[in-house]
Amino acid sequence: MTHEPAFDDELWVIVGPTASGKTELAIALSELHGGEIVSADSVQIYRHFQVGTGKPNAAERARARHHLIDIVEPDEPMDAARFAELAAEAIAQIRARGKRPIVCGGSFLWVKSLIFGLVPAPPADPVVRAEHKAHVDREGRAGLHARLAAVDRESASRLSENDFVRVSRALEVFELTGKPMSVWQASHGFKVQERPARLFGVRREPGELDARIEARCRLMFENGFIEEARNLLERGYGDCRPFGSVGYKQLRAALSSGRDLDVASLIGDVYRATRVFARRQRTWLRDQPVNWLEAGSTKLR
RNA sequence: GUCCGGGUAGCUCAGUCGGUAGAGCAGUGGAUUGAAAAUCCACGUGUCGUCAGUUCAAUUCUGACCCUGGACA
């Protein structure tokens, strides 16, 4: 390199749907620009979940240092805000070493929370959530939604009464702060970048991405995905967060059904679930200012 | 070969006491502020296996045939 790119002070963030080749691009850029990779992946962050997560392998980790992979136990609390704190620390350390941090991951709320921060409301409260859950068990989701409507009309009208996750969080924020979630959100609004960032992604044709997803699924099963999942279930991790993720969720259902495994159809299930996930990621990315690179290219801008 | 089930949406199935049918999943699009690989929203015309019979009307009843699962031979 004869000179550094002009956007030197910006945080480089590699995004894109699953199996698009984010890891490869991030590693290639690390090698070219003296970088270290900060993973923004809500499943790779957990220990013990290996085969089904698409974590970089040993050879890839030898090419570039990775951060925020395998750092918490499956039953430890983790969320977007906590991730942003950890990522900020990692970024500071990398820069202190004179290296370039390169964020890479497909968990876009996590990426967003790193770049813009989240509403400064308190974190999840297990007691509040348990109470909400109990309320739903008694009176249904509509009952909880009605409770939210009484204190935060705007959030309630925006949310489906079936969207328990968001209804509960919005109500929780009000109960913890006395201030409606919609008010918090209006003043925050993801308007100000706390951290200047530049997004990059790898462009793939839809058919090509499907083929890559399918190949990756097959490889996971060849690499012992079923055995790993069975082992994790036996060790009591069945109710942990990452077991609800794509692939592990399907394996948990199959392994705990008591029926014989139909591996071919399991692979199909996981493939389809992964495609559905990739579609949701596409929706997230649709209006983002991503600089799309051709596959195999490391030319930024 | 005989007996008993089945053959309905891409898949698994529900249903129509006769008036041409609907769920889940998949697919497509969308939302997304501390669970985010999570969670949620919208979008449903398909020779109701084939042929014939009864009927004003059959996917629904009857018969034959084809395919398929199981049991018995």
Side-chain angles (χ1 to χ4, degrees):
Chain A
M1 290 299 294
T2 53
H3 62 275
E4 288 295 301
F7 38 88
D8 202 31
D9 58 326
E10 291 179 322
L11 183 65
W12 294 359
V13 182
I14 316 297
V15 296
T18 188
S20 62
K22 292 188 293 295
T23 298
E24 180 51 39
L25 175 61
I27 291 172
L29 289 175
S30 292
E31 291 179 328
L32 280 171
H33 300 278
E36 295 183 18
I37 296 169
V38 180
S39 165
D41 189 298
S42 63
V43 180
Q44 294 184 7
I45 199 166
Y46 292 104
R47 297 191 194 108
H48 314 304
F49 288 71
Q50 304 296 337
V51 179
T53 59
K55 287 176 188 173
N57 59 33
E60 290 169 321
R61 293 200 212 193
R63 290 170 60 196
R65 186 161 171 191
H66 284 74
H67 302 266
L68 305 195
I69 292 174
D70 289 333
I71 62 160
V72 295
E73 289 296 317
D75 53 0
E76 273 183 74
M78 178 50 60
D79 59 46
R82 179 76 185 124
F83 159 77
E85 289 170 16
L86 295 170
E89 286 170 23
I91 287 166
Q93 288 165 10
I94 292 165
R95 284 184 167 147
R97 260 178 238 128
K99 296 294 189 86
R100 170 186 289 285
I102 298 175
V103 175
C104 174
S107 302
F108 303 127
L109 179 64
W110 286 26
V111 170
K112 215 170 174 181
S113 110
L114 175 61
I115 297 174
F116 294 93
L118 296 173
V119 144
D125 182 329
V127 176
V128 171
R129 293 192 173 193
E131 192 275 316
H132 290 178
K133 179 75 171 56
H135 189 261
V136 165
D137 290 343
R138 259 190 346 265
E139 301 178 31
R141 294 181 170 193
L144 196 71
H145 187 263
R147 253 171 79 185
L148 176 64
V151 297
D152 184 353
R153 278 208 91 63
E154 195 176 327
S155 292
S157 69
R158 202 173 58 79
L159 298 173
S160 161
E161 66 181 31
N162 293 323
D163 195 350
F164 172 73
V165 170
R166 290 193 177 74
V167 169
S168 174
R169 173 60 183 165
L171 185 56
E172 173 183 64
V173 165
F174 177 82
E175 290 174 341
L176 259 28
T177 67
K179 185 167 155 184
M181 182 62 149
S182 54
V183 173
W184 285 103
Q185 289 180 339
S187 60
H188 180 268
F190 290 121
K191 288 189 290 262
V192 182
Q193 285 198 11
E194 292 183 351
R195 192 180 299 281
R198 192 174 170 88
L199 307 185
F200 299 98
V202 184
R203 191 191 301 284
R204 298 279 177 192
E205 297 302 321
E208 186 191 3
L209 189 67
D210 285 349
R212 289 174 62 96
I213 289 171
E214 190 186 5
R216 176 187 271 192
C217 285
R218 291 191 180 286
L219 192 61
M220 286 173 177
F221 280 82
E222 284 168 25
N223 288 344
F225 196 5
I226 293 172
E227 293 70 22
E228 179 184 279
R230 183 182 284 126
N231 181 255
L232 289 169
L233 281 175
E234 284 166 2
R235 289 163 67 186
Y237 289 124
D239 293 327
C240 293
R241 197 73 71 68
F243 236 122
S245 66
V246 168
Y248 288 97
K249 180 193 274 186
Q250 284 73 25
L251 284 180
R252 180 175 60 188
L255 288 168
S256 54
S257 71
R259 291 195 299 269
D260 288 343
L261 292 186
D262 179 344
V263 176
S265 91
L266 251 181
I267 293 174
D269 290 346
V270 174
Y271 164 68
R272 279 184 295 274
T274 308
R275 288 194 52 184
V276 170
F277 172 47
R279 198 167 65 229
R280 269 180 279 131
Q281 289 180 304
R282 216 179 301 143
T283 302
W284 256 109
L285 258 14
R286 198 196 44 229
D287 295 325
Q288 298 303 309
V290 179
N291 300 277
W292 294 104
L293 312 184
E294 294 309 317
S297 168
T298 51
K299 285 206 188 73
L300 304 184
R301 176 187 311 266

